[in-house]
Amino acid sequence: HALSLYVAMRRSNVLPGKHTFPFLLKACARVRSFTASQQVHVHVIKFGLDFDSHVVDALVRCYSVSGHCVSARQVFDETPEKISSLWTAMICGLGAYGYVDDALGLFEKMKKEGVVVPNGVTFVGVLSACCHAGLIDVGREIFRSMKSVYGIELKIEHYGCLVDLLGRGGWLLEAVELVKGMPWKADVVILGTLLAASRISGNTEVAERVVKDILALEPQNHGVHVALSNMYAEAGQWQEVLRLRKTMKEERLKKAPGWSLVAT
């Protein structure tokens, strides 16, 4: 609908301004349409806004979200003056789609040039990239440097990234201690990450405690019972499997069925 309105706008000979295109690109990103993104990009160039910092920032985000990191990087590299959000968008996009070396290399370049300073969102992207590649030592060091070097307050998203990184790498107990040391109470997302890490390590004791914490926050989250039951089965603890399934049956607990959507 947003794109249709833009077409109607052009047919009425109304010229778009620099604020028009970020909204259009956001719409393209929402539906992950690479073709529409390219068409909007052509109009950006046509109206001479391909060097406007906010428009370029929206372009990079749009291409990155759509998974077209090569196009995003081309726009990024051709932009002479890069604002902080542009660096962050490119780093996060590369990290999210597994271009780990590129993401970390760009982060190092950002620090070396010193023109802009990384912010909290930048570090989410960098830590996510470390998680993709299993770079535990690098992730630990980056996490520690946030406050000590850059004076950035750690947020729950940063803890979540490091917990995920440690959990995937088999450092479950360190992940547990990290969660205990957070200045806030763990939310369901971080607890779910810990539960997944428990399964990777095969540690049913930690999983039991995590499941209790999750149910304290979300009593209707029956999927955790199934996850714990599967862990018992993998560990050969069949008595625990039977006990848990009996409890689920008595309390009439059911895991919500999965579903899928096919776009046409």
Side-chain angles (χ1 to χ4, degrees):
H1 187 53
L3 292 168
S4 297
L5 281 175
Y6 175 73
V7 172
M9 173 183 175
R10 293 297 302 121
R11 285 175 177 169
S12 300
N13 294 320
V14 177
L15 293 176
K18 65 179 182 179
H19 300 296
T20 306
F21 291 107
F23 289 110
L24 279 174
L25 290 164
K26 186 176 182 180
C28 294
R30 288 289 294 272
V31 295
R32 285 173 164 75
S33 174
F34 182 55
T35 302
S37 303
Q38 287 181 308
Q39 291 174 342
V40 174
H41 191 175
V42 169
H43 282 248
V44 167
I45 296 171
K46 179 180 178 180
F47 289 102
L49 294 170
D50 45 327
F51 290 121
D52 182 89
S53 58
H54 295 291
V55 175
V56 171
D57 185 51
L59 262 173
V60 169
R61 290 177 185 278
C62 181
Y63 280 138
S64 297
V65 167
S66 304
H68 294 88
C69 293
V70 174
S71 297
R73 186 60 188 265
Q74 184 177 353
V75 173
F76 177 87
D77 290 339
E78 291 175 353
T79 303
E81 295 184 11
K82 301 175 178 64
I83 59 177
S84 177
S85 60
L86 182 60
W87 286 89
T88 297
M90 192 68 255
I91 290 170
C92 290
L94 290 168
Y97 282 92
Y99 295 93
V100 178
D101 291 340
D102 291 329
L104 296 179
L106 201 59
F107 178 62
E108 289 301 320
K109 184 178 179 181
M110 180 184 188
K111 293 192 298 180
K112 186 177 180 180
E113 292 190 2
V115 179
V116 292
V117 180
N119 56 33
V121 181
T122 311
F123 281 100
V124 170
V126 175
L127 289 170
S128 297
C130 291
C131 192
H132 273 287
L135 301 175
I136 295 173
D137 290 337
V138 176
R140 285 193 188 110
E141 185 59 33
I142 289 172
F143 182 83
R144 295 190 191 107
S145 72
M146 284 182 60
K147 191 166 185 177
S148 62
V149 178
Y150 299 97
I152 296 174
E153 289 296 325
L154 293 164
K155 294 186 177 181
I156 198 164
E157 294 86 355
H158 304 118
Y159 279 92
C161 289
L162 188 57
V163 168
D164 193 19
L165 174 59
L166 293 171
R168 289 172 185 264
W171 295 82
L172 175 62
L173 297 183
E174 183 178 340
V176 171
E177 291 303 313
L178 182 67
V179 172
K180 286 181 180 178
M182 291 195 312
W184 326 270
K185 189 174 181 179
D187 60 11
V188 174
V189 175
I190 285 190
L191 291 173
T193 303
L194 268 185
L195 184 59
S198 302
R199 186 167 187 174
I200 292 172
S201 299
N203 193 320
T204 55
E205 292 183 8
V206 171
E208 288 169 349
R209 295 197 297 269
V210 173
V211 166
K212 287 181 180 178
D213 291 338
I214 292 175
L215 291 174
L217 296 173
E218 290 186 354
Q220 302 302 315
N221 191 338
H222 308 318
V224 295
H225 289 287
V226 178
L228 184 57
S229 176
N230 291 338
M231 285 187 64
Y232 285 142
E234 290 168 0
Q237 297 175 283
W238 299 108
Q239 290 298 321
E240 293 299 324
V241 174
L242 294 173
R243 179 189 62 77
L244 188 55
R245 290 186 177 177
K246 182 181 178 182
T247 300
M248 293 177 66
K249 187 175 182 180
E250 289 174 350
E251 297 182 12
R252 297 181 180 179
L253 303 179
K254 291 183 180 181
K255 181 180 182 295
W259 59 277
S260 61
L261 175 66
V262 179
T264 58

